[in-house]
Amino acid sequence: LFTSPALSAGETRVIDGPQAHYLSRVMRVKAGDAVILCDDETGEWAARVTDAGKRSVTVEMAELLRERESVPQLTLCAALLKKPRFDLVLEKATELGVARIQPVITRRCVADALNMDRARTIVTEAAEQCARTALPHIAEPVTLDAMLREWASIWHGQPLFFADETRDAPPATSAFAAEAAPAAILIGPEGGFDDAERAAIRGAEAARPVSLGPRILRGETAAIAAISLWMGIAGD
Ligand code: SAM
């Protein structure tokens, strides 16, 4: 269970809200039970339940089991997709270990907004399920132009791998091997990027078009494939 603020040995922490409901009603914890907590700062802790009520559960922190993991410095810049498909992107990108998820709004996006609370819940539950000790950062959606500007200014010089299905871009594997971390991967929406967007991406200094093979993949498939390839080659 991810909680905040940072945890410390011997402290008593009262957990309330949905997490208390999950512990007491779903996991049916009772006093004396052992639980595992993470705080996305120090790492993963062993704790013991001292009181389990319907509205709150009290735990006493014991010991640090695992330090917060080092996260491969990969940002996924993904065009918003229809809700269930983007939910899948959030969940699988978290499981695969990305550091940041930057939702992008492009002209052909079907969805034009993202429920951030819901997105954070999906990411947190995926992190708990795969036993990550660090949560990926999920940013508010931005337009493609804003994302390109941010990438140029904040992440200057780091490659922005643009998953490009339309022309003979180099295979992603060779591009990823040629330029190690940190990096970003940009994936388009269901309808792809339009010509003006494609020109803007290609005009970006850091942009590197990469191919994920000869077939047209769904956006969520392209995201999962590209992250998996990158993690296998450049992830630390
Ligand atoms: N232009 C596509 C079409 O003609 O149907 C629509 C876009 S595709 C469904 C969604 C996104 O996945 C693309 O914008 C691209 O970023 C990525 N993608 C799909 N297949 C790819 C491939 N073979 N190589 C690289 N990227 C791919």
Side-chain angles (χ1 to χ4, degrees), residues 182-235:
I185 291 173
L186 173 60
I187 305 283
E190 290 94 342
F193 293 108
D194 68 21
D195 291 345
E197 289 171 333
R198 199 172 289 284
I201 297 167
R202 274 214 212 96
E205 176 202 341
R208 311 277 189 280
V210 294
S211 170
L212 295 169
R215 284 168 291 282
I216 302 290
L217 310 177
R218 287 186 183 279
E220 60 273 28
T221 312
I224 294 168
I227 297 168
S228 301
L229 287 172
W230 188 91
M231 287 293 174
I233 293 166

